[in-house]
Amino acid sequence: MSTTDLIPVISKNFVNPDTIFANNQMSLQDIEIYGFDYDYTLAFYSSHLHTLIFNIARDILINEHRYPEGLREYDYIPNFVIRGLHYDVQKALLMKIDAFHYIQLGTVYRGLNPVPEKEVIAMYEGSHVPLEIMSDFYGKSSHGHTMKQFMDIFSLPEMTLLLCVNDYFMKHNIDYEPVHLYKDVKEAIGDVHVRGIMYRAVEADNEKYICYGEQTHAVLRKLSKNGKKMFLITNRKMHITWHERHLTKNYLQNWRDLFDVVIVQADKPGFFNDRRKPFRRVTDKGVLLWDRIHHLEKGQIYKQGNLYEFLRLTGWRGSKVLYFGDHIYSDLADLTLKHGWRTGAIIPELRKEIKIMNTEEYVHTMTWLQALTGLLEQMQVHQDPASQTVIQQWINEREEMRLRTKDIFNAQFGSLFRTYHNPTYFTRRLSRFADIYMASLSCLLNYDLQHTFYPRRTPLQHESPIWPEQTKELLLEPKGKLSGRQMDTIFILK
């Protein structure tokens, strides 16, 4: 049987992009309180926002940091980078790293050009990145770490700007200090948010930048109708009219009526660890009140605070709370590790990747790639010259197909979730810090609130597969000795 014959069989297992996936068993029946981040959890933005952030930050570099005017030649490049990448601050290299701290060769960029594999291996004395130079727990480059991991969707324009500025300096043979460049770009991107420049631009043209959340509103109404408590904890500097328009367009209900508690400018992840900051109430006009907070009241907006005070005032503790966010470190890590909350990761890129995985091209490529890998594993015992020639041809073909598979997702960096064969460092953290993950909050509409999510029991390397779909392996029955590329082979489904 050929790999083409297997495609209809595999196609029956196509994945629904609106599925919720489980890393850990969890029942919605046990969840009484639902919490949410805001950006890219409740609210989604058009691709125009990334262009806006890039352009504003680029102009800040030129106008305030005295960077060359020639940088205005660079525009934002959509879909050039992906989330989860690491940036070596001292070497000015952007790269993808797998769950075992190995660099995926072919995904290392200096400026807008890939770095040759030999050069990467020479710089790192191999492809392994030692733990001591990796980013800290929250993906930041600090305390002697030279790597920064970009886990925020808002970081896509930041990565692109880093690459573009590096590219300009190299093209013009400008001697520069990579550490200064990284810090300047980071500061410029931060100013876009902190100064409110981006918010004013979005407020001036809501229709261009904000994707209105009819399905988000449907999820919140469903939870409210079933008697669930809901709260919002966001780092967003709350702009009342902006958020009201997003959550309640075409609805009469005031957006604050959807939540039992609303906390803005929370300063996550500090919110989850720093006990010192008390809550302050914010008026509708943005005025901070001075009175001590004894209760967190529905319909009010609170600023800063900390999780320990939040727990004391609400009594919402442990596994009856499920919190959703898009940032695996800032939103989810502390909650699951320190406080026992259940966590849900919103991964918008998931929908696109699943649709790619459901294509015939991907299925055909992966089926043959797996078959080639099986052939190499079993036939490497043949040491005669003719057999070794065939095996080397297989190795070369496998490498070509691995590159093709990467390019299907993203020509520069491949899939968010995998390197060539290993999970990415992003996936490793996702599987540890999120009980469930999904493409958008709207996926909850496909499940009743009694549903239990079960993770798949995938076999460990030393375990025998026992489920039918896992035993349909391609096995090779050689006809005689390997004799060349035209050797007859028969593939049999076990």
Side-chain angles (χ1 to χ4, degrees):
M1 180 180 289
S2 70
T3 55
T4 304
D5 296 324
L6 288 174
I7 291 176
V9 177
I10 298 172
S11 297
K12 294 179 182 178
N13 295 320
F14 278 173
V15 178
N16 182 351
D18 292 320
T19 300
I20 295 177
F21 304 92
N23 292 320
N24 190 22
Q25 184 172 323
M26 188 192 78
S27 177
L28 294 180
Q29 186 174 1
D30 300 328
I31 305 301
E32 300 174 12
I33 305 108
Y34 287 77
F36 307 92
D37 179 37
Y38 189 79
D39 292 320
Y40 291 105
T41 299
L42 293 178
F44 287 85
Y45 303 95
S46 72
S47 58
H48 296 295
L49 187 62
H50 290 162
T51 300
L52 176 70
I53 294 171
F54 177 93
N55 289 341
I56 296 173
R58 179 200 60 202
D59 292 345
I60 289 174
L61 286 178
I62 296 169
N63 298 332
E64 300 181 23
H65 294 268
R66 302 182 67 182
Y67 275 62
E69 282 286 338
L71 288 176
R72 296 192 197 278
E73 300 171 3
Y74 288 86
D75 295 317
Y76 181 64
I77 311 171
N79 304 315
F80 191 91
V81 298
I82 62 172
R83 204 155 44 123
L85 300 176
H86 281 78
Y87 184 76
D88 190 319
V89 175
Q90 294 180 336
K91 295 182 174 66
L93 299 175
L94 188 67
M95 67 192 73
K96 188 163 74 168
I97 296 177
D98 74 9
F100 300 95
H101 294 198
Y102 282 90
I103 300 167
Q104 180 178 350
L105 297 176
T107 66
V108 180
Y109 275 72
R110 181 187 289 115
L112 299 174
N113 297 300
V115 180
E117 294 183 6
K118 289 184 179 179
E119 188 176 338
V120 174
I121 292 171
M123 282 190 288
Y124 292 93
E125 298 180 346
S127 59
H128 183 262
V129 179
L131 178 62
E132 59 265 22
I133 72 169
M134 294 288 284
S135 54
D136 68 9
F137 181 79
Y138 298 103
K140 298 177 181 178
S141 174
S142 59
H143 307 298
H145 300 97
T146 64
M147 289 283 190
K148 149 79 176 177
Q149 188 179 19
F150 291 98
M151 298 291 274
D152 192 340
I153 298 177
F154 279 128
S155 67
L156 297 179
E158 182 177 357
M159 284 185 278
T160 307
L161 185 58
L162 276 168
L163 294 180
C164 288
V165 179
N166 275 301
D167 190 73
Y168 179 88
F169 285 162
M170 288 188 299
K171 280 184 176 178
H172 293 82
N173 297 314
I174 298 174
D175 188 22
Y176 68 102
E177 173 53 62
V179 175
H180 296 331
L181 169 59
Y182 167 74
K183 290 181 177 179
D184 289 344
V185 170
K186 179 181 178 182
E187 183 178 333
I189 290 287
D191 285 345
V192 175
H193 298 273
V194 173
R195 296 182 189 176
I197 304 171
M198 182 186 79
Y199 308 129
R200 289 192 292 273
V202 172
E203 177 63 19
D205 196 349
N206 275 265
E207 299 291 339
K208 181 177 181 179
Y209 297 108
I210 299 177
C211 301
Y212 290 101
E214 185 173 346
Q215 286 189 307
T216 297
H217 192 277
V219 171
L220 298 177
R221 283 190 302 166
K222 177 179 179 178
L223 296 176
S224 178
K225 183 179 179 181
N226 282 272
K228 305 299 181 181
K229 298 289 186 181
M230 290 182 288
F231 63 92
L232 176 68
I233 301 178
T234 175
N235 287 349
R236 168 68 66 220
K237 187 175 182 179
M238 183 63 73
H239 195 298
I240 304 301
T241 56
W242 174 356
H243 290 245
E244 183 174 310
R245 288 172 186 170
H246 166 74
L247 287 173
T248 62
K249 188 181 183 187
N250 299 326
Y251 300 99
L252 296 177
Q253 184 179 18
N254 187 301
W255 72 269
R256 276 177 284 177
D257 293 339
L258 296 168
F259 302 100
D260 295 273
V261 178
V262 174
I263 299 167
V264 301
Q265 290 181 264
D267 191 30
K268 295 179 292 182
F271 180 87
F272 300 127
N273 299 288
D274 189 346
R275 298 171 181 260
R276 295 171 297 177
K277 294 181 180 178
F279 287 109
R280 296 193 71 172
R281 190 158 65 87
V282 186
T283 69
D284 287 351
K285 295 183 178 180
V287 177
L288 291 172
L289 302 182
W290 50 263
D291 53 314
R292 184 187 293 271
I293 303 300
H294 295 284
H295 305 282
L296 296 176
E297 301 176 8
K298 187 170 184 175
Q300 301 297 325
I301 298 176
Y302 300 92
K303 176 186 175 183
Q304 292 184 341
N306 65 82
L307 183 66
Y308 300 93
E309 188 69 2
F310 178 86
L311 297 176
R312 185 184 71 82
L313 294 173
T314 63
W316 295 344
R317 298 177 180 274
S319 58
K320 66 181 180 181
V321 184
L322 171 59
Y323 185 79
F324 292 95
D326 70 292
H327 198 301
I328 297 170
Y329 297 145
S330 296
D331 289 328
L332 309 180
D334 289 311
L335 292 176
T336 187
L337 292 176
K338 299 179 181 179
H339 302 284
W341 286 14
R342 309 312 290 265
T343 52
I346 304 299
I347 314 293
E349 301 94 333
L350 188 63
R351 181 169 279 110
K352 177 183 177 182
E353 292 219 4
I354 289 175
K355 288 180 178 179
I356 290 173
M357 291 165 57
N358 286 343
T359 62
E360 184 172 321
E361 177 189 7
Y362 179 85
V363 171
H364 186 279
T365 302
M366 286 306 301
T367 304
W368 179 231
L369 183 58
Q370 290 292 85
L372 270 178
T373 303
L375 287 170
L376 287 167
E377 183 178 18
Q378 295 179 45
M379 294 300 122
Q380 61 186 316
V381 296
H382 296 274
Q383 298 297 319
D384 60 278
S387 297
Q388 285 297 306
T389 298
V390 176
I391 289 171
Q392 186 58 52
Q393 291 172 343
W394 286 343
I395 291 173
N396 295 339
E397 184 175 358
R398 179 173 180 263
E399 183 61 26
E400 291 173 5
M401 298 194 72
R402 277 152 52 103
L403 289 170
R404 192 186 313 162
T405 304
K406 174 182 77 72
D407 291 347
I408 290 175
F409 293 100
N410 177 281
Q412 291 73 234
F413 299 99
S415 167
L416 171 64
F417 302 97
R418 276 198 180 275
T419 58
Y420 288 131
H421 51 273
N422 287 333
T424 58
Y425 196 84
F426 177 93
T427 302
R428 176 184 179 183
R429 307 303 254 178
L430 172 66
S431 62
R432 177 62 186 91
F433 298 143
D435 291 292
I436 56 175
Y437 65 98
M438 65 208 76
S440 69
L441 199 63
S442 63
C443 297
L444 274 173
L445 296 174
N446 301 321
Y447 299 84
D448 65 51
L449 298 183
Q450 307 296 312
H451 188 88
T452 298
F453 298 100
Y454 296 97
R456 296 180 183 178
R457 185 183 175 92
T458 53
L460 301 174
Q461 296 299 309
H462 65 277
E463 294 178 325
S464 297
I466 56 176
W467 299 106
E469 65 268 22
Q470 293 168 327
T471 58
K472 292 177 181 177
E473 300 170 344
L474 287 174
L475 298 180
L476 171 68
E477 286 192 357
K479 288 187 174 181
K481 180 181 176 182
L482 295 175
S483 58
R485 188 171 180 83
Q486 302 303 320
M487 175 195 70
D488 290 332
T489 57
I490 300 176
F491 293 103
I492 302 175
L493 279 176
K494 192 174 182 180

